[in-house]
Structures are given as C-alpha cells and as structure tokens.
C-alpha cells in the first residue's frame, strides 16, 4: 500500500471514495481489490444515508464498520477484512481535525484493538502504527499509558519494516511530548524495557539468553533515534547499560551503542548526564583501543571520544578534565594501530580535544603548581597538563615511527595550545625533536613535517626560550657541529620575539663570529673564513623575523637602530636584510593604526597570538619611537644610496619611502630640498658637458655610475621614495623639477621623470584637477620609447579623470587626444609596455563603467565607440592596433559583445586586404568573439562568420590557414557540426571532413589515456583559456595544439594528424621527456606529411631539431677501452673503430648485426645502405678477401634483400624517384637475364664479377707502380 499511501493528496472537501477508486482501478493486486470493495461498500452506505463523501464522512463510516467487526463474538475477524479498514483510516486521519479524532476515544480504541490482533499481517500493522503515531502526536496528554506500552511492544517486532516504523513513531512522540509527564513516562518505559532485555540476555542461559540478546539489538536500533530525545534521568539508566554492552567488545553490538552516543552528543538540545557519559567514554577508550579491535570499531570510537568529550567539557569541565588523560591514552593506542582510517580519526580527535578541552585556566593551574613546588623534591602527583604532555611526548617513541607524520601534527597542536607555557611541560619533547634530525634520510622520510613541528615549538615558546633548549652551538671549534639546520626554521617561524634579545644576544654572536672569520682569514684558512661569514649572514637574516610583531619595539628599537646604522655603513651585504626589517616594522604598525585586520585564514597560531597583542595605542607608541630614529636612518640610507649607485631589489628605496611616510615633515622636507639641489647641480653639469655625439633621442649607455645621467636617475628614484612624506606644496615643487626632465634628450632621464609623475598622479587625488592644463600640454610631447610605459600610467590617470567629468566636450577632447597613443602602444615590441597598454585600456573602461564614481553602461559604449573610431586610421599599424583594442575590451566587458558583432562586416572587409598585420589582428578579434559569445549570438552570425573566414585573396590564403582552422574548430565545438555544415560553402566541405577525422583520432587517442590525465588536461586547458593573453590570441602560430596543416585547400585529406595536433601542451605528462623533445620535423617525416614552410614556428623548430640531431650524431660514438679496461684516446681527430669479426659468432651477437645487443635501436636505424633510406645491410656475409658472399656456420644461406622504403608510397615525385633509383638496377638485371637458364645466368654473373675484381686488382698494381 505504500505507493497509494505516500502519494495520496486530496483536500478536505473532495470525494475520497471517487479519488481512491480512480487510483486503484488499474491495479490487479488482491489487497487493492479488497480495498476497492470496502471503499465501494462505504460509498454505498454514505449515499443511502444522504451523507457527503468527504474524508471525515469516510472516517466515521470506517470507524463504525471496523467497530462492528471487532466487537463480534465470533473470534478474531479475518485480516483480509480488517486491513482495508485500517488502510482507509491511515489515509483519512491526516484530513480529520484533532477534535474529531479525540471524540469518545473511539479511534484510539479501534487502532489499539487492531494492533493487539494476533493474526495481523505486517502490512496491517504498518497502517495501524501510522494511525497510532498520528493519534499520539495530536491528542497529547490525553493518551493512556497502555498506548505507549503497545507502541513499545512493536520496537522489538520480528518484521524489520514494523520495527523501523515503530521507532520512527516513538521518536515523533518523544519530540511532540517533550517536557510533559507523558514524555517522562515514555522515557522511563523505554529505559525499563532496555534494562529488562539486557538483564535477560546477561543473566539467562541458553535460548532465553539468545532471545534477550536479539531483543537488545532491536532496542539498540530504536535508541539511535530516541536516546537523545529522552529525559536526563532515563538517559543515564540507558548509558549504564551501555557500559555492560561495551565490555563484550563485540563490534556488532558496539556499533549501535556508539551511534546512539554520537547522536546524543551531537544533539544540542539533549539533556546529557555528564558523569555517566564520561564514564562510558572512558570504557570505550580503554576497551576499543586494543590491537585486535577492528578498524571500523576503532574509527567510530575515536570519533565518539572526540564529540563526547567536547560535549562533556561544555557541560561540566571538571568531570571531563579528570578523565581526559585516560581518553588521550586510548587515542594514542588507536594511533599505534595499522588501520589508516582509525589513525586519521584518532589524530583528528586528539587535535580537537587539545584545542577544545584545554583552556587557559587549566594551563594556569598546572603552571602555578609547578612554580610553587620544589621540582627536585616534588611528591605531589603530576598535573593534568603534565599527563597529557607525557602522552603526546610518547608519540615520538620508535614504537610509533610509522605514524610520526601524524604524531608531529598532534605535537604541533599541543605546542600551539600551550604557547609560552610550553617550556614548562614540553622541554623534553623539543629535545627529542632536535635529536631526530640526526636520523638518516632513508630511515626518516618526515624531515619537512619535523621542521614544521619544531617551528611550532619555536612560535609557541619564542626564540629566546627555544634557543636556550636547542642551542645553535656557534661556539664549537668544529664548524660541522654548528646546528645550521635551525637557521631556516628560525627565519620562517620566529614571530612575536623581543628586539632586545636580538640586540643583546644575536648581535653579540654576530660580532664574535665576525672576529673569528677575520682571524681565520689572517691564518690563511680562506674556506673556513667563508663558512664563518656565511654563518654571520645567516644570523643577520634572522632580523626580519625578529621584526615580525615584536613585543618591545617601543623600549628596544632605539638601541637596535644604532646597531643598524653602523651595520648599514660598514656591512654592505646586510643592507637588504636591514631594509626589509624596517619595512616590516613600519608597515605592520601602520596597518594596526589604520585599522586593517590581518587575514586570519592563512595565519598560524603564533602569528595570531603575536598580532593580538597589538592595538592602536601600542602601534602608535611604536611609530613614535620609529619616527624619532627616522632622521638618522634616512640620512644613512640616502647617503648609501648616493654612494653605492645600485639598489638591488629596490630595498633601499622602499625603506626610504616607508621611513619618509612616518618621519616628521621637517625631516622629509630637509632631505627633499637637499635632493633637489643635487638634482639641479647634476643637471647643470650635464648641460655643461658637450654630448653632441649622442643623438637627440638615444639612450645614455654610459656604464659609469657617477656619470651625470646615472646620478640624475638615482636622484629621481630618491624623489619617488620621498613622495609619501611630502605635502601638496612640496609635491608642486617636485612637479616643477620634472618638466625639463620630461623633455630631456636622454631616454633614461625621461623614463625616471615620467615614473615620478605617475607616482604623484597615483597618490594625489586632487593633483590632476589642479594641474590639468599643464599636464595635458606635457602629455602631448613625444617621449622616448623607454619612457612609454610610465607615460601610459600618466595617461591612465588623465583619461580616468576625464571619464568622471560632466563636461562632455572636455571629456571627448581629452580622450580623443590621447586614446590613439594608448592604442598604438598595443603594438609596442617591449612586452611590459604592451601589457601595460592593454591594462590601461581596460582600466579606463572600468572607470567609465563604475557607477559609484558616476559611470554607467552608456559611457562605456561611448568609450568603446571611440576605440572603434581609430579603425579609420590610414596606416596598417593603427588599424591593427585598434582591432586589438576592440578585442581586449570585448574580452573584458560582456556588454560590448553585441556592439562588436556590428563590426563583423568591417572585419571581413579588412580580411580581404593583403596585409598580414591587419589580418592577424582581425582573426584575433574573431577568436575572442567566438570564445566569449553565447551560443545564441554565434548562431545568429554563423553564416557570415564562416563565409567571411573562407574568403581569401590570392597569395594570402596559406598564411593564416592554421588560425582559420582553429576558429572553425571552436565554432564546431560551440555550435555543433551540423550547424557549421549547414552554412559551409560546398567547395570547403573537405575541410570539415578533415576536422572531423582529426577530432576522432584525438578522441581515440585520449580514450586510451587514464581518467586522471584527461581530467587534468581539461582543467589546465580551461584555466589557460580563461585568462587574457595577447601573445596567444594575436601571435603567428597561436595555440600550441593548433594544426597548421592546410592541405584541405587542395582537396586532400590525410591519414594521420600532424605533431602539432598531438597536444604539445602542459598536460603532456603522459609522454616521456624523450617524446617531449621530439621536433616537428621528425614527426612530419615519420608521418609522411610535408613541412609547412609558411609557419615560422615550425620551420625554426625543424631547423633547431636538425642541428640537435647533428650534434647528437657526432657525440654518439662510444668510448674505446683496451683489454685492461683503460680508456683509449685517439689524437688528431676521430678514427674508425675496429669491428670485431668472429665467423663463428651468432648473428645476434655480431657487432654489425641488425640484432646486435650492443647497438641501440636508434643506431640500427642509422645504418645507411643507399640513397633511398636506412635498412639492413647483410654485411655479416661479406668476405674480406674476395668479392661476393660467404656461407657462415649456423647461419642462413646468403640471400638477396631489397628493403622496403616508405618513400616509395610518398605523394612527392622527388621522393619516389629516390626510392625507385636503387630498384632500377635490379629491374635491368632481371631483363638482361630473361629467357636464360639458371646455369647460364650464374655463369654470366660470375664472369662479370670475376672480370670486375680482376680489373680492380690490375688497377691496384698499376697504381702501386
């Protein structure tokens, strides 16, 4: 009846009988026929009594009929009659109001009577239980105890469906009656029933015990759903029974117990008896951590211990903490098992319990206990934290060596949780970790995890405490005893340290080691001196880590600043490290003052703790100290910058910039005017020097760092660094000094001047509007090619400012004046300049579309039309650049795709031009349109696109056939083959056939690849295609997997695809390195396909590969050794190696044999016998003393062999001619011997051979005379 009951949906006023009869009319099942008969009988009764045929009426009629059947004195009525009535009641109950159901208690009495029938079938009981569940959840407290008893009796029924429904009804009743007396009563009945059958199974023997055990299993199934909904008192009773079941250590019994406890702990509204829960968790941890326990039991136990202890800790901390060490020991034993799932579950449980159940008060109690007691004469028992730490430390024993990677995670979590207090509890653990670094690599594959664990200890304890436990050992006389492995860990994981420790300890070690290096150098031990110098630099490299959220910046930076000033002047190699440290200090404190939050997702616990100590007041005090030291540091850094003449990585400039941003205004102003004076003097010097040999726009190539150009360039860079600390008036002064430099004939000076101006425009919002006219005039000047990238930055700010103005005329004038220059920059040879031009073009588009700053879609389209207007240019360079700009904007803004489609007629006209530059740009635009357009847009323009792509003027169709083919493949992929075929011109149908065949070959090839490789390829291809790459879109040879074979233009189709279609992309992990290095030419030769000489990329690759083969062939000769194994070196060039000839040897062991074991396949292929190719020579039959062949022992008789040559099948006549040339002599000999007997033929051939050999001998004698 489930199909009827679950799908019955009708309103309260509908005709229930008619509805059900229509549903059952087509069914042939006997129970459905019985149900239809009963419904028809009830409908007839209602019709005769003039009653409505609603669900309520059927409810009343069914109850009356069922009551009469059950009250008859003829015994139990037939179940075939009772079942349809119960089914009807289960269907109409949800449509009847609770008041009608409760009236006179008739419905409940009838349902209970049916449930008590001994002859009731499972189907009948299921319908009756549904009725009972509905009554119990709607009538509430007015239900008698007998109803609950009847429901509970079916929890242990033999039929699974009945048990499942009874458990579900029991759960619904518990949820509905929660907090009432009925709820308390029902919870007690469940607990009492569980204890009853548990005692029966535990105390009885024989059959009674087996029946009791079966009933216990049935009740456990119900408790999984109901335990969390019962009252606290009765939950404790059930949990006490669970302890008895867990003692059996039977996985079949333990699984439902653990599932019930899991549901109890995960239910946030359940009333959990903490003492009973912790006790049963303790038993579970002890009993199910034994080695013989199954993997499933261990895993589920570990997960239960995790959720159970966390729930217990949230309810009663003291009770949970008391049992925590025992739980940790149980989880530790699970980690020692061989079951991977259990190991992961136990590791996760330990980490979660460490983070959740160890709080600050517990740590503080243990620390105070250690401090207040005499550690040497301590008699008190260890604290809870000490017990937990001892358990965690024991994970580093060799017993757990197979799971040390998991153990390191637990140890790291404990270090992170204890923080600085870890030194009280885990000193021995850290020592054990440091001892592990001496283990050999082959026995210890967890070096990376070990370093991370040691790093966690360092972040928790702090560098000072850490180095007291694990010493660097720099004072050792033998440098090999220095713990250099600690330096990378100290550099990476030090955070929140003390600057005073670096000043007092590290700097003293630096001084000591520097003196030691000098002494070694004086003693002539140069290598040892250099080793010590490297240690000195490693110590200096720790400074940035100590400047990472230090705790005593305000107190200790003044002393550190003096040390840094001295080191900057005396030790040039430390300048980068010191500048980086200053940048970190300043930027972190400025971020805290500005209210910027550090991203916590990627931060480790040590970083979170260190940054949490900072607030705006502490950061402000730190900046005050840094500001007081800024004048001295700025003076030293600026002087070094002038004197050194170089700043690798820009560290000096960045440090000057950060110091200028926090220094007092007078300090920065003083340094600014000093710089401007030096710039003026350098400019005067440059003017005074006559550099007439340098053309007006050439770059000053002087390598002298003190030349006037280099000095001026450094001063401009210094001005960039000082800009963060300047006010508006000082910025105007700098701007005035830039004007002559922007027109300087030297490109280096122009580049620096434009760089300074771009930084000013970026940092000063009102500068553009205040100096707009002057900036426009300056931007109209022609700049040097090296300065163009920075000029583009300046133009961006001008055009972005114009996009925000309301004056349409002014906006149009500004954009029309400078937009062509930006577009022309898209054709720059310099990649950085070209990329910056694309970025500027897109950023201006975003400025026009930014609604928050006055932009909208209309302005964006107006900007797009301005770019399109550049297509009216006369020169091909301008036209192609404009097309590229249109393609880039279309790629970035999907709203412009429709406007770009309007350019298709112009695009196809431009394709008819005989200009490679314009054609290449237009094909790139079409590629963008195909890639970014929705399928509907492509279908609307498909015909015009296909026809336009295939119309080529004579002389140009072969230049871009690979690009056209790729575009057609993209169209086929997006629109489908049939759609493209319907618009393809008839004369180009063979192209479509070729594309289809190549695609089928590729699919067949990839079908053999693994699923992982295919998914990886698809992911990488998608990610590669999702980013803009102008080189890929507008290059000559486009994508790596493009097929440059264009023989479809001549109506030819190929049997094999080219190497370029064999997916030479990054996903070629399936290939070996040898195949990855294989050139296009090599594959083309083997595939019998001509090399496309119009493709520059493939031609260059072919030439490059041929040179590689030549070099490799020259180096293929193996080294020669004499009998004693000594290497033989031949002077005066290469000598031909002697071949060992043994007439008794087998062909497979012969040096010259085709099957020689000493000859590789590659060398075998190189055995050249004729002009037509490479083949087997048969020279093992040759005689050294005479012409002709010899018979060899244990070999086949000599035979004539003409090797097959693939060139005979070539389409090219010249290749076929080469192959046939050697065969012609065989054909001539055959014709000459035609018609002769065998004896005559042999006589003729032997005579000719004898004659030739005689002529050779006589010629040799004449020559010797």
């Amino acid at each position: 009846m489930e199909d009827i009951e679950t799908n019955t949906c009708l309103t309260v006023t509908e005709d229930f009988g008619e509805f059900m009869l229509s549903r059952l009319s087509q069914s042939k099942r006997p129970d459905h026929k019985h149900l239809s008969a009963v419904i028809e009988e009830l409908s007839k009764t209602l019709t005769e009594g003039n009653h409505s045929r609603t669900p309520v009426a059927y409810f009343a009629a069914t109850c009356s009929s069922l009551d009469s059947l059950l009250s008859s004195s003829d015994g139990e009525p037939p179940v075939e009659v009772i079942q349809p009535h119960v089914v009807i009641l289960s269907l109409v109950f949800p449509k009847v109001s609770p008041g009608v159901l409760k009236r006179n208690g008739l419905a409940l009495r009838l349902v209970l009577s049916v449930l008590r029938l001994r002859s009731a079938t499972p189907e009948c009981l299921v319908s009756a239980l549904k009725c009972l569940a509905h009554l119990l959840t709607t009538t509430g407290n007015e239900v008698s105890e007998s109803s609950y008893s009847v429901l509970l009796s079916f929890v242990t029924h033999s039929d699974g469906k009945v048990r499942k429904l009874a458990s579900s009804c029991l759960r619904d009743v518990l949820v509905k009656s929660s907090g009432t007396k009925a709820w308390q009563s029902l919870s007690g009945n469940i607990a009492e029933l569980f204890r009853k059958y548990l005692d029966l199974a535990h105390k009885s023997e024989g059959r009674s015990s087996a029946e009791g055990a079966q009933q216990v299993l049935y009740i456990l199934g119900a408790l999984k759903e109901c335990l969390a909904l019962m009252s606290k008192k009765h939950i404790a009773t059930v949990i006490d029974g669970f302890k008895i079941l867990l003692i059996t250590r039977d996985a079949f019994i333990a699984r439902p117990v653990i599932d019930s406890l899991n549901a109890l702990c995960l239910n946030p509204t359940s009333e959990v008896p903490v003492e009973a829960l912790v006790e049963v968790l303790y038993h579970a941890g002890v009993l199910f951590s034994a080695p013989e326990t199954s993997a499933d039991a261990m895993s589920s136990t570990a997960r239960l211990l995790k959720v159970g202890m966390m729930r217990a800790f949230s309810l009663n901390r003291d009770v949970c903490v008391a049992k925590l060490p025992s739980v940790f020991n149980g989880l530790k034993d699970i980690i020692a098992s061989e079951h991977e799932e259990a190991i992961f579950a136990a590791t996760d449980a330990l980490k979660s319990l460490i983070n959740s159940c160890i709080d600050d008060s517990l740590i503080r109690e243990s620390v105070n206990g250690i401090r207040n007691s005499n550690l040497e004469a301590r008699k008190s028992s260890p604290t809870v934290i000490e017990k937990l730490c001892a358990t965690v430390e024991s994970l580093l024993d060799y017993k757990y060596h197979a799971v040390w990677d998991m153990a390191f995670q637990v140890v790291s979590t404990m270090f992170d949780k204890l923080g600085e207090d870890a030194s009280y509890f885990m000193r021995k653990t850290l020592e054990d970790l440091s001892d592990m670094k001496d283990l050999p690599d082959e026995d210890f594959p967890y070096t990376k995890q070990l370093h991370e664990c040691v790093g966690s200890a360092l972040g928790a304890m702090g560098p000072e405490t850490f180095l007291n436990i694990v010493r660097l050992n720099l004072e050792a006389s033998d440098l090999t005893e220095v713990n250099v492995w600690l330096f990378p860990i100290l550099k990476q994981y030090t955070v929140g340290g003390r600057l005073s420790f670096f000043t007092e300890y590290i700097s003293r070690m630096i001084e000591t080691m520097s003196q030691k290096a000098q002494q070694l150098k004086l003693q002539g031990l140069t290598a040892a001196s250099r080793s010590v110098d490297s240690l000195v630099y490693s110590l200096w490299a720790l400074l940035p880590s100590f400047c990472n959220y230090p705790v005593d910046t305000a107190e200790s930076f003044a002393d550190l600043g003096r040390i840094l000033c001295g080191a900057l002047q005396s030790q040039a190699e430390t300048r980068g490290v010191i500048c980086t440290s200053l940048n970190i200090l300043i930027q972190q404190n400025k971020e805290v003052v500005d209210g910027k939050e550090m991203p916590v997702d990627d931060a480790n616990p040590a970083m979170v703790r260190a940054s949490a100590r900072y607030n705006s007041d502490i950061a402000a005090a730190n900046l005050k100290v840094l500001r007081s030291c800024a004048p001295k540091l700025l003076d030293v850094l600026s002087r070094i910058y002038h004197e050194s003449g170089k700043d690798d990585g820009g560290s000096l400039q960045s440090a000057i910039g950060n110091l200028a941003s926090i220094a007092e205004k007078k300090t920065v102003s003083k340094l600014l005017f000093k710089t401007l004076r030096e710039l003026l003097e350098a400019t005067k010097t440059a003017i005074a020097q006559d550099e007439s040999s340098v053309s007006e726009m050439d770059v000053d190539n002087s390598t002298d760092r003190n030349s006037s150009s280099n000095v001026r360039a450094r001063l401009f860079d210094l001005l960039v660094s000082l800009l963060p600390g300047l006010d508006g008036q000082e910025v105007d002064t700098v701007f005035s000094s830039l004007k002559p430099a922007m027109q300087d004939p030297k490109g280096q000076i122009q580049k620096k001047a434009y760089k300074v101006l771009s930084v000013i425009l970026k940092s000063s919002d009102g500068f553009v509007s205040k100096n707009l006219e002057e900036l426009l005039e300056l931007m109209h000047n022609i700049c040097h090619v090296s300065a163009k990238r920075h000029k583009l930055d300046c133009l961006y700010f001008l055009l972005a400012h114009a996009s925000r103005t309301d004056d349409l005329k002014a906006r149009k004038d500004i954009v029309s004046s400078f937009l062509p220059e930006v577009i022309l920059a898209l054709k720059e040879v310099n990649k950085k300049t070209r990329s910056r031009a694309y970025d500027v073009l897109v950023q201006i588009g975003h400025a026009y579309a930014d609604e928050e700053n006055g932009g909208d879609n209309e302005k964006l389209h107006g900007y797009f039309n301005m770019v399109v207007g550049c297509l009216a240019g006369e020169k091909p360079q301008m036209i192609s650049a404009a097309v590229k700009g249109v393609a880039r904007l279309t790629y970035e803004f999907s709203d412009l795709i429709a406007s770009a489609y309007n350019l298709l007629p112009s695009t196809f006209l431009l394709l008819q031009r005989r200009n490679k530059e314009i054609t290449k740009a237009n094909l790139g635009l079409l590629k963008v349109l195909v890639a970014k357009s929705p399928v509907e847009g492509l279908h609307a323009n498909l015909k015009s696109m296909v026809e336009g792509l295939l119309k080529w003027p004579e002389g140009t169709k072969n230049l871009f056939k690979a690009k056209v083919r790729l575009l057609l493949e993209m169209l086929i992929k997006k629109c489908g083959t049939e759609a493209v075929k319907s618009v393809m011109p008839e004369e180009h149908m063979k192209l479509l056939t070729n594309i289809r065949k190549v695609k089928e070959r590729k699919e067949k090839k990839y079908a053999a690849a693994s699923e992982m490789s295919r998914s990886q390829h698809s992911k990488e291809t998608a990610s590669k295609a999702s980013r803009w790459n102008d080189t890929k879109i507008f290059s000559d040879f486009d994508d790596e997997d493009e097929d440059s074979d264009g023989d479809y233009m001549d109506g030819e189709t190929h049997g094999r695809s080219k190497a370029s279609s064999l997916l030479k992309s990054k996903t070629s992990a399936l290939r070996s390195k040898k195949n990855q290095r294989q050139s296009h030419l090599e594959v083309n030769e083997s595939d019998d396909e001509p090399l496309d000489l119009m493709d520059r990329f493939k031609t260059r690759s072919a030439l490059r590969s041929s040179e590689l083969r030549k070099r490799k062939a020259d180096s293929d000769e193996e080294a020669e050794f004499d009998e004693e194994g000594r290497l033989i070196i031949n002077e005066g060039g290469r000598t031909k190696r002697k071949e060992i000839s043994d007439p008794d040897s087998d062909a497979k062991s012969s040096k010259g044999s085709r099957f020689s074991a000493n000859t590789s396949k590659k060398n075998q292929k190189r055995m050249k016998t004729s002009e037509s190719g490479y083949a087997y020579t048969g020279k093992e039959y040759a005689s050294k003393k005479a012409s002709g062949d010899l018979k060899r022992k244990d070999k086949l008789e000599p035979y004539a062999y003409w090797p097959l040559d693939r060139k005979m099948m070539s389409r090219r006549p010249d290749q076929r001619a080469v192959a046939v040339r050697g065969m012609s002599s065989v054909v001539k000999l055959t014709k000459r011997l035609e018609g002769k007997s065998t004896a005559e033929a042999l006589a003729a051939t032997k005579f000719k051979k004898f004659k030739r050999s005689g002529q050779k001998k006589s010629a040799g004698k004449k020559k010797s005379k």
Side-chain angles (χ1 to χ4, degrees), residues 398 404 435-447 450:
Y398 192 76
W404 268 345
D435 292 339
M436 284 185 175
K437 52 94 179 169
D438 296 326
L439 294 174
D441 292 340
E442 58 271 14
D443 297 334
F444 187 73
Y446 308 118
T447 303
L450 172 63

Side-chain angles (χ1 to χ4, degrees), residues 19 106 214 222 263 280 311 413 459 461 468 471 509 605 628 649 694 864 940 956 1000 1077 1112 1245:
F19 176 81
L106 177 62
Q214 187 67 47
V280 75
R311 183 66 186 277
T413 306
M461 297 180 176
N468 283 333
R471 304 187 65 84
M509 285 195 295
S628 64
V694 181
F864 180 75
T956 60
E1000 290 175 355
R1077 292 193 298 264
K1112 198 165 183 180
T1245 54

Side-chain angles (χ1 to χ4, degrees), residues 743-781:
Q743 302 177 18
D744 195 276
K746 294 184 177 60
Q748 184 183 16
I749 304 303
Q750 280 193 31
K751 179 181 177 181
K752 298 298 182 180
Y754 276 108
K755 179 181 178 181
V756 177
L757 181 59
S758 65
V759 175
I760 291 175
L761 297 178
K762 182 180 180 179
S763 57
S764 302
D765 296 333
F767 186 83
V768 177
S769 56
K770 185 173 66 173
N771 302 277
L772 183 60
E773 297 297 331
E774 202 167 359
L775 287 170
L776 292 175
E777 183 179 353
L778 285 172
M779 291 298 107
H780 278 105
N781 297 328

Side-chain angles (χ1 to χ4, degrees), residues 529-546:
S529 175
R530 290 176 180 174
S531 300
V532 176
D533 284 335
S534 66
L535 293 176
V536 171
Y537 183 79
S538 298
L539 290 170
W540 271 113
L542 302 179
L543 180 59
S545 301
F546 277 89

Side-chain angles (χ1 to χ4, degrees), residues 1248-1261:
K1248 286 196 172 186
K1249 287 182 180 179
F1250 177 78
K1251 188 176 181 180
R1252 280 200 301 269
S1253 62
Q1255 289 175 351
K1256 288 181 181 178
K1257 290 179 180 179
S1258 61
K1261 291 178 180 179

Side-chain angles (χ1 to χ4, degrees), residues 630-646:
K632 179 63 175 175
L633 288 169
L634 281 172
D635 181 60
V636 173
L637 289 171
S638 60
R639 188 167 62 251
I640 292 173
Y641 184 69
H642 282 304
E643 295 172 354
S644 63
K646 64 177 182 178

